[in-house]
């Protein structure tokens, strides 16, 4: 039985241990190396120059004006701090190379961009309402109460504010049931003014140290709602990862992953310490107030990023991948109630033939490389869909059961079409012919609302292991242009 604890600092003996060498895994995903013709740079107008920055350095970042924002990001980068204990931007986002100007890609083929969820050009007015001018990810789940919750990663606001209003993560809520014309946002957990209309960081990490010495950022990777029968309420859970160090594009090292819990529909969150999966060894497990995380396992590295799937059979399924973009996906299940989900001893792992209580027995169910995985049941296809990115773009696979077997891949968006894409996450209410999802691109650093026509997809048997051709190479998919915000269709 796990217990929830909000931990804001950690014993120095643990932080000293974290300075030990860690295994870095990853694969460089194709990313754009130059900005669009508008010449804009990163979220607050920095120039992209000739390529990505490296950890602990500014790379080739310069400073230019962007979309009316006169502030420069460089001052805060150079200071080594964003004014937050969870990170410094120079180490948090080394690969951003574009500006959040809201430009919407216009594609041919079965997959279309509908609108911007966040940033300039978004009908949600995320800048004015929530102080969100640049962000990524947008992991979605049904909260059990008629809303979809949407968790984002590193987030920027006012570029004229010296620390650029950076937050590790924020959350939006939506009750919009009409998926075809976009996604309207109802609300977001807000910080007390000043400033007003400012989405607060919802989840803090465990290593709350000056300048983010060991924890540059804490990023959500999965979300799920679980019904708590004895208290007649829905509990929200987010699995997040603690990023210790960024490497080359597609590579990063984590301190740990953990689950955070919210009993008030995402307004406040507590880290559930017994769910911590420590990723570094040697480990001195000394926490404040005598709270000790689960024992270190060398297999924890396979569970630093997740995808939750409510199974409908009394279990929540959790797919696990490594930090970075080079690992395979493994599968666990846990009874769908808070007491069990918060206790790693109650998890079972798929061995390829049976369920085992031993994490070391978990075998891959989706072959590497898999990153930023999203999995859900699809009624139109009558199969589970796994969506993720790799060097070949945004891919999906199909299966009859979470444990597989999983089919070969089909490419929804080619890296030849959008070379800076990553992080495809499906809308949990998507039914019928069209699959709705969100996607981020580094060169815009905002979240795009997308759809793909499943009637034009191969209804592959899980036994069919033949990867389908890249639509850009067959000529089906082309990037025609980017529509600037002024040209975007009006809200219907």
């Amino acid at each position: 039985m796990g217990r929830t604890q909000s931990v804001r600092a950690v014993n120095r003996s643990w932080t000293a241990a974290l300075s030990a060498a860690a295994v870095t895994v990853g694969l460089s995903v194709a990313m754009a190396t130059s900005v669009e013709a508008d010449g804009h740079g990163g979220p607050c107008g920095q120039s992209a120059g000739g390529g990505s920055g490296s950890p602990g350095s500014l790379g080739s970042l310069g400073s230019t004006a962007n979309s009316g924002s006169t502030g420069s990001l460089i001052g805060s980068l150079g200071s080594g701090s964003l004014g937050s204990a969870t990170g410094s931007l120079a180490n948090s986002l080394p690969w951003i190379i574009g500006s959040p100007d809201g430009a919407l890609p216009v594609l041919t083929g079965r997959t279309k961009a509908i609108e911007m969820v966040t940033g300039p050009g978004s009908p949600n007015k995320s800048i004015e309402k929530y102080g969100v001018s640049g962000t990524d990810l947008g992991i979605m789940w049904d909260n059990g109460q008629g809303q979809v919750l949407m968790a984002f990663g590193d987030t920027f606001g006012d570029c004229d504010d010296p620390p650029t209003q950076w937050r590790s993560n924020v959350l939006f809520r939506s009750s919009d049931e009409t998926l075809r014309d976009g996604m309207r946002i109802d609300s977001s957990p807000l910080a007390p003014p000043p400033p007003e209309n400012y989405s607060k960081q919802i989840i803090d990490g465990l290593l709350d140290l000056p300048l983010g010495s060991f924890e540059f950022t804490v990023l959500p990777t999965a979300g799920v709602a679980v019904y708590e029968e004895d208290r007649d309420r829905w509990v929200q859970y987010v699995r997040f990862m603690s990023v210790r160090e960024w490497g080359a594009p597609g590579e990063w090292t984590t301190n740990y992953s953990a689950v955070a819990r919210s009993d008030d529909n995402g307004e406040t969150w507590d880290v559930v310490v017994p769910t911590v999966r420590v990723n570094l060894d040697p480990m001195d497990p000394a926490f404040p107030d005598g709270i000790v995380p689960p024992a270190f396992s060398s297999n924890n590295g396979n569970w630093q990023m997740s995808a939750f799937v409510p199974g409908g059979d009394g279990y929540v399924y959790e797919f696990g991948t490594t930090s970075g973009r080079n690992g395979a996906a493994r599968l666990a299940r846990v009874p769908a109630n808070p007491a069990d989900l918060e206790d790693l001893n109650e998890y079972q792992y798929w061995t390829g033939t049976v369920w085992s209580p031993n994490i070391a027995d978990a075998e891959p169910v989706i072959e590497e490389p898999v990153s930023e995985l999203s999995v859900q049941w699809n009624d139109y296809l009558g199969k589970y869909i796994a969506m993720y990115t790799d060097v070949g773009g945004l891919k999906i696979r199909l299966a009859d059961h979470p444990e597989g077997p999983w089919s070969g891949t089909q490419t929804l968006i080619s890296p030849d079409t959008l070379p800076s894409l990553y992080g495809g996450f499906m809308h949990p209410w998507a039914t019928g012919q069209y699959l709705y999802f969100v996607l981020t691109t580094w060169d815009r650093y905002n979240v795009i609302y997308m759809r793909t026509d499943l009637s034009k997809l191969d209804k592959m048997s899980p036994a069919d292991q033949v990867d389908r051709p890249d639509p850009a190479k067959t000529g089906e998919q082309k990037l025609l242009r980017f529509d600037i915000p002024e040209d975007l269709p009006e809200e219907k």
Side-chain angles (χ1 to χ4, degrees):
M1 298 282 292
R3 62 187 177 124
T4 303
Q5 296 286 343
S6 179
V7 182
R8 306 303 296 273
V10 70
N11 190 287
R12 288 287 175 177
S13 60
W14 192 42
T15 62
L18 288 177
S19 63
V23 177
T24 300
V25 294
L27 178 67
S28 176
V29 171
M31 296 180 180
T33 56
S34 62
V35 295
E36 300 299 326
D38 59 19
H40 293 166
C44 290
Q46 71 269 32
S47 171
S52 303
S54 59
S57 73
L58 299 184
S60 56
L61 297 176
S63 60
T64 62
N66 171 43
S67 302
S69 295
T70 58
S72 170
L73 190 60
I74 301 306
S76 56
L77 283 169
S79 69
S81 171
L82 285 170
S84 166
T86 50
S88 65
L89 185 57
N91 287 291
S92 294
L93 294 166
W95 309 318
I96 291 178
I97 56 177
S99 61
D101 58 12
L104 194 69
V106 179
L107 309 176
T108 62
R110 62 181 176 236
T111 302
K112 308 291 185 184
I114 306 301
E115 68 179 15
M116 302 300 298
V117 178
T118 62
S122 169
N124 291 309
K125 300 187 181 301
S126 69
I127 301 174
E128 297 89 341
K129 292 183 177 181
Y130 308 117
V132 176
S133 64
T135 191
D136 69 347
L137 303 180
I139 295 148
M140 292 181 278
W141 71 97
D142 187 324
N143 73 346
Q145 304 166 73
Q147 288 182 315
V148 168
L149 301 190
M150 196 175 197
F152 300 89
D154 289 294
T155 299
F156 297 86
D158 184 357
C159 296
D160 290 327
D161 183 353
T164 69
Q165 295 182 342
W166 176 82
R167 291 141 280 173
S168 276
N169 46 75
V170 298
L171 181 131
F172 286 174
R173 306 182 186 98
S174 173
S175 58
D176 187 354
E177 297 180 355
T178 307
L179 275 58
R180 65 179 179 274
D181 61 353
M183 186 176 185
R184 296 299 162 265
I185 303 304
D186 298 332
S187 63
S188 175
L190 300 179
E196 296 181 358
N197 305 325
Y198 181 78
S199 294
K200 67 181 179 181
Q201 178 170 313
I202 58 166
I203 299 173
D204 297 328
L206 301 177
L207 309 182
D208 202 7
L209 299 174
L211 307 185
S213 304
F214 296 99
E215 189 165 67
F216 290 119
T217 189
V218 287
L219 302 180
T221 66
V224 69
V226 175
Y227 186 64
E228 192 172 29
E229 290 190 8
D230 58 347
R231 304 188 69 175
D232 188 25
R233 65 180 180 183
W234 286 91
V235 180
Q236 310 302 321
Y237 290 100
V238 164
R239 171 69 69 174
F240 68 93
M241 63 176 174
S242 163
V243 177
R244 173 181 171 80
E245 182 180 44
W246 296 107
E251 297 181 2
W252 58 88
T253 302
T254 51
N255 296 305
Y256 62 88
S257 68
V259 164
R261 169 178 174 150
S262 173
D263 295 332
D264 53 11
N265 197 30
E267 196 68 25
T268 60
W269 295 81
D270 294 317
V271 177
V272 184
V273 173
T275 67
V276 169
R277 290 172 172 146
V278 177
N279 194 33
L280 297 179
D281 190 31
M283 210 49 217
D284 179 358
F287 275 72
D289 303 322
I291 299 170
V292 179
F296 172 80
S297 166
S298 59
N299 296 284
N300 285 344
N302 294 323
W303 300 88
Q304 295 302 293
M305 303 175 67
S306 294
F308 284 132
V309 185
D313 58 356
Y315 289 96
V316 171
Y317 291 83
E318 182 181 15
F319 290 80
T321 63
T322 62
S323 59
R325 295 192 167 104
N326 197 37
R330 291 168 172 81
L331 181 64
R333 70 178 186 181
V334 63
N337 63 75
D340 290 323
L341 192 144
E342 295 179 12
D343 184 354
L344 289 181
N345 293 319
E346 298 301 320
Y347 285 64
Q348 298 176 325
Y349 301 87
W350 183 247
T351 68
T353 54
V354 297
W355 294 99
S356 167
N358 189 349
I359 190 174
D361 293 337
E363 291 292 332
V365 295
I366 303 177
E367 65 190 38
E368 62 184 37
V370 179
S371 67
E372 289 128 352
L373 180 64
S374 173
V375 183
Q376 68 184 41
W377 174 258
N378 182 267
D379 65 339
Y380 183 83
L381 297 176
K383 298 185 184 301
Y384 285 92
I385 295 179
M387 175 181 288
Y388 61 93
T389 48
D390 65 15
V391 292
L394 182 68
K395 305 286 187 66
I396 65 167
R397 293 178 184 263
L398 307 178
D400 293 327
H401 309 281
E403 58 267 34
W406 288 87
S407 72
T409 64
Q410 298 187 62
T411 302
L412 298 188
I413 305 179
S414 170
D416 293 339
T417 307
L418 290 178
S420 59
L421 67 88
Y422 68 102
F425 299 100
M426 292 178 280
H427 195 298
W429 294 351
T431 61
Q433 177 179 346
Y434 294 102
L435 178 64
Y436 294 89
F437 61 95
V438 296
L439 186 76
T440 308
T441 63
W442 283 116
D443 55 354
R444 298 297 170 188
Y445 201 65
N446 264 302
V447 177
I448 309 171
Y449 186 75
M450 312 283 298
R451 78 166 183 228
T452 196
D453 187 346
L454 295 177
S455 71
K456 298 179 180 179
L457 200 71
D458 285 345
K459 296 183 179 180
M460 297 175 67
S461 161
D464 185 347
Q465 297 295 307
V466 179
D467 295 340
R468 297 304 190 255
D470 183 325
K473 292 179 170 55
T474 64
E476 173 201 340
Q477 186 174 85
K478 296 178 182 178
L479 174 63
L480 298 180
R481 66 183 185 277
F482 281 94
D483 279 348
I484 61 174
E486 290 78 6
D487 292 340
L488 295 181
E490 295 182 0
E491 180 180 351
K492 298 180 181 179

